[in-house]
Amino acid sequence: MERRTFLRATVAGAGAVAFSGGLWQNAALAAPAQNAAGPYGPLQAADANGIQLPAGFTSRVVARSRQTVPGTSYTWHDAPDGGACFADGTGWIYVSNSEVGGGAGGASALRFDAGGNVTSAYRLLGGTNTNCAGGATPWNTWLSCEEVSNGQVWETYPFGGTAVARPAMGRFTHEAAAADPVRKVIYMTEDKSDGRFYRFVPSTWGDLSSGTLQVLVAGSATSGSFSWANVPDPDGSPTATRYQVPGAKVFNGGEGCYYADDTVWFTTKGDNRVWQLDLAGGTYDLAYDDNLVNPGPAPLTGVDNVTGSSFGDLYVAEDGGNMEICVITPDDTISVFLRINGQSGSEITGPAFNPAGDRLYFSSQRGTSGSSSGGITYCVTGPFRT
């Protein structure tokens, strides 16, 4: 794709910050996102899976918790959560966490051929706790994050290998992670009402066994400049990591995290916001805030997991809300992409595109039953913008 430059005004309107985006279209943008008609048109009537989609898109179930994955002998895990896709020859692998406590958590994988058919399914990680979200690395590993006090990041190997804990990345209530190959760091969110936003700087890029944990330092406003400070004790005991650095900015319930083109986006469920950091310019502002949608009502609440397409659209899943995935476009509009009916006791998790960008995988963590044993993992196929 061509590298292009565009402007995004700050929330306060005090000037504009320039940054580059190889995947984004050339436009003058003004955050935060506002309501508009979706790029794919209105939602149609619910399909056989209870999912409303725009015309031209279809859904199918690829796995169900506690049931054998069709075409394999593997039983899919409970409470499917964060996920990612990895290219695998002409096919791909979809990895999914299991957000179950009591040492019953972990992660599993589905392998697909070029036609999108499941060819195998297998376990990547077991014996861990409340593996919520995570993130993929450029060296084709999956970082599975434990959402518990003093939780760890586990590096797992979708193509084969034994999962390894990475304590140098910090012990805290981990949520999601996103790799930045330009600055050679991993960004991480913390799911606490007074959580922080972190980055891990490995001693050697590609090796997460050692390095420096840092926390974002900024003021209390919704836009401004930021810096990074070292966390003195990544072990998080006796003082939690989030309390170790004066001036570390507080974020209300950190959730999803996504990096592309010198920008990292992350969500905070406690205040229904999507934040963005301009990494080249050293500034932050809001990409979305449900209280700033005018006129309302705001389409996106229960802001949770986030992923992006090669076109530059952000896809943000809801925990609760109307059980929707919403799309935020490069020109700062927001609309509903899909809605799951009849599953109000669940949440949408793990959105991830296959390498070609024409299939979107995600799960309903508790499905129609409202129980972790009722999780459903879906695939939506259609004319996504790429």
Side-chain angles (χ1 to χ4, degrees):
M1 305 285 283
E2 259 182 72
R3 264 191 99 67
R4 301 171 185 255
T5 300
F6 64 99
L7 299 177
R8 181 181 293 274
T10 63
V11 173
V17 179
F19 60 98
S20 59
L23 302 181
W24 292 77
Q25 306 304 300
N26 191 24
L29 308 183
Q34 299 295 318
N35 280 328
Y40 302 111
L43 300 185
Q44 305 298 298
D47 63 13
N49 296 317
I51 300 180
Q52 291 181 255
L53 292 159
F57 290 85
T58 58
S59 77
R60 68 184 180 100
V61 174
V62 294
R64 294 180 182 269
S65 297
R66 301 197 181 183
Q67 295 187 22
T68 302
V69 177
T72 78
S73 60
Y74 186 76
T75 301
W76 197 235
H77 56 255
D78 284 359
D81 206 283
C85 280
F86 298 84
D88 180 33
T90 59
W92 55 90
I93 296 169
Y94 177 68
V95 171
S96 170
N97 278 345
S98 177
E99 193 184 14
V100 180
S108 301
L110 298 168
R111 178 174 265 120
F112 296 87
D113 64 18
N117 305 299
V118 176
T119 59
S120 64
Y122 47 96
R123 173 70 64 168
L124 297 178
L125 173 68
T128 53
N129 290 301
T130 316
N131 297 77
C132 198
T137 69
W139 50 93
N140 286 328
T141 62
W142 165 248
L143 304 179
S144 183
C145 298
E146 292 181 303
E147 190 196 347
V148 293
S149 296
N150 290 326
Q152 298 196 84
V153 174
W154 290 81
E155 187 167 17
T156 72
Y157 298 85
F159 295 89
T162 303
V164 180
R166 299 301 188 193
M169 299 182 74
R171 303 290 297 270
F172 55 89
T173 308
H174 282 276
E175 182 69 31
D180 176 352
V182 176
R183 288 151 202 88
K184 298 181 179 179
V185 301
I186 307 289
Y187 303 104
M188 297 177 289
T189 55
E190 181 178 28
D191 193 359
K192 300 290 287 187
S193 60
D194 60 348
R196 305 303 199 260
F197 187 73
Y198 303 88
R199 75 175 186 179
F200 179 66
V201 186
S203 300
T204 301
W205 186 234
D207 179 356
L208 303 179
S209 62
S210 66
T212 303
L213 181 67
Q214 299 181 324
V215 66
L216 185 140
V217 175
S220 60
T222 55
S223 64
S225 61
F226 68 89
S227 61
W228 300 98
N230 293 348
V231 175
D233 181 15
D235 181 67
S237 179
T239 303
T241 56
R242 65 187 182 278
Y243 300 140
Q244 292 183 22
V245 176
K249 186 170 178 59
V250 174
F251 293 99
N252 188 353
E255 292 286 344
C257 192
Y258 177 74
Y259 169 87
D261 303 316
D262 291 333
T263 306
V264 63
W265 293 265
F266 62 97
T267 63
T268 49
K269 188 168 62 182
D271 48 17
N272 286 320
R273 286 172 168 171
V274 181
W275 299 82
Q276 60 185 30
L277 303 186
D278 170 8
L279 300 164
T283 61
Y284 71 94
D285 62 21
L286 291 173
Y288 175 81
D289 183 327
D290 69 333
N291 286 322
L292 298 178
V293 174
N294 184 30
L300 174 62
T301 59
V303 179
D304 206 289
N305 287 182
V306 60
T307 193
S309 72
S310 62
F311 186 83
D313 294 322
L314 292 179
Y315 289 76
V316 188
E318 289 186 332
D319 177 353
N322 294 327
M323 284 291 288
E324 295 171 345
I325 294 179
C326 293
V327 58
I328 300 176
T329 66
D331 56 354
D332 284 320
T333 67
I334 185 165
S335 58
V336 178
F337 171 69
L338 67 76
R339 180 182 301 122
I340 303 176
N341 294 301
Q343 300 187 31
S344 59
S346 186
E347 61 186 273
I348 299 178
T349 58
F353 283 97
N354 70 329
D358 58 359
R359 287 177 168 88
L360 176 66
Y361 293 89
F362 60 92
S363 295
S364 172
Q365 190 183 78
R366 297 177 292 279
T368 58
S369 71
S371 168
S372 61
S373 62
I376 308 170
T377 300
Y378 298 97
C379 175
V380 165
T381 303
F384 288 100
R385 305 198 297 182
T386 58

